[in-house]
Amino acid sequence: MTMHKVLVLHGPNLNLLGTRQPEIYGDETLADIDNALRERAAQAGWEIACRQSNHEGELIDAIHAARLDGTGAIIINPAAYTHTSVAILDALNAFDGRVIEVHLSNVHKREAFRHHSYVSLRADGVIAGLGSQGYHAALEALIAAG
């Protein structure tokens, strides 16, 4: 396993970025975010794969595959599954690499149910409220750690 291989997972409804509640989530599309991450990873000589799914099982399958394919870190924005998915937590607990949880909005300024994260119980770091820059901060932290 090498830290130089990163999986970025985007949860449900993030495929709507740029058009869904831009006052909360901004006007960048998911493709904009993924392309910028790929460009930065390539500059650092890192490999990055980005996946989005609206289906919990597909996210879990991607985490399981990352256990076996040499992935050293996962950057995950589980979106609404943050607050509901013990299954994603269990999958992340079986992953030996680093995990950084990212949220575009500051979940602590939103509805009370968004204040709890199952994923945070496994995450090595949590970034919330920085918009798409949170993904970049997560990647930079991984690169800095080597």
Side-chain angles (χ1 to χ4, degrees), residues 48-132:
I48 195 164
C50 302
R51 292 192 54 188
Q52 186 277 331
S53 181
N54 294 317
H55 305 282
E56 184 178 35
E58 288 182 13
L59 296 169
I60 292 166
D61 288 345
I63 295 165
H64 289 184
R67 295 179 64 226
L68 305 173
D69 70 5
T71 296
I74 295 173
I75 297 170
I76 183 169
N77 181 344
Y81 289 136
T82 302
H83 323 292
T84 63
S85 184
V86 174
I88 289 175
L89 170 63
D90 287 347
L92 290 170
N93 279 334
F95 177 74
D96 290 331
R98 299 267 319 235
V99 175
I100 300 180
E101 178 183 355
V102 172
H103 298 283
L104 296 164
S105 67
N106 181 350
V107 293
H108 301 289
K109 288 180 69 175
R110 298 185 64 196
E111 303 94 336
F113 74 87
R114 296 187 193 275
H115 300 177
H116 178 265
S117 168
Y118 284 103
V119 172
S120 291
L121 296 171
R122 169 56 180 91
D124 298 298
V126 179
I127 301 168
L130 298 181
S132 66

Side-chain angles (χ1 to χ4, degrees), residues 1-75:
M1 175 175 14
T2 175
M3 275 285 262
H4 296 95
K5 186 173 183 179
V6 178
L7 173 62
V8 179
L9 289 177
H10 308 284
N13 300 310
L14 291 172
N15 56 304
L16 301 177
L17 285 180
T19 60
R20 175 184 170 231
Q21 296 177 285
E23 69 282 2
I24 295 175
Y25 300 110
D27 57 5
E28 282 182 284
T29 67
L30 191 60
D32 293 335
I33 293 168
D34 287 347
N35 289 336
L37 291 171
R38 285 186 188 103
E39 183 177 315
R40 175 61 184 120
Q43 289 170 353
W46 285 44
E47 182 181 341
I48 195 164
C50 302
R51 292 192 54 188
Q52 186 277 331
S53 181
N54 294 317
H55 305 282
E56 184 178 35
E58 288 182 13
L59 296 169
I60 292 166
D61 288 345
I63 295 165
H64 289 184
R67 295 179 64 226
L68 305 173
D69 70 5
T71 296
I74 295 173
I75 297 170

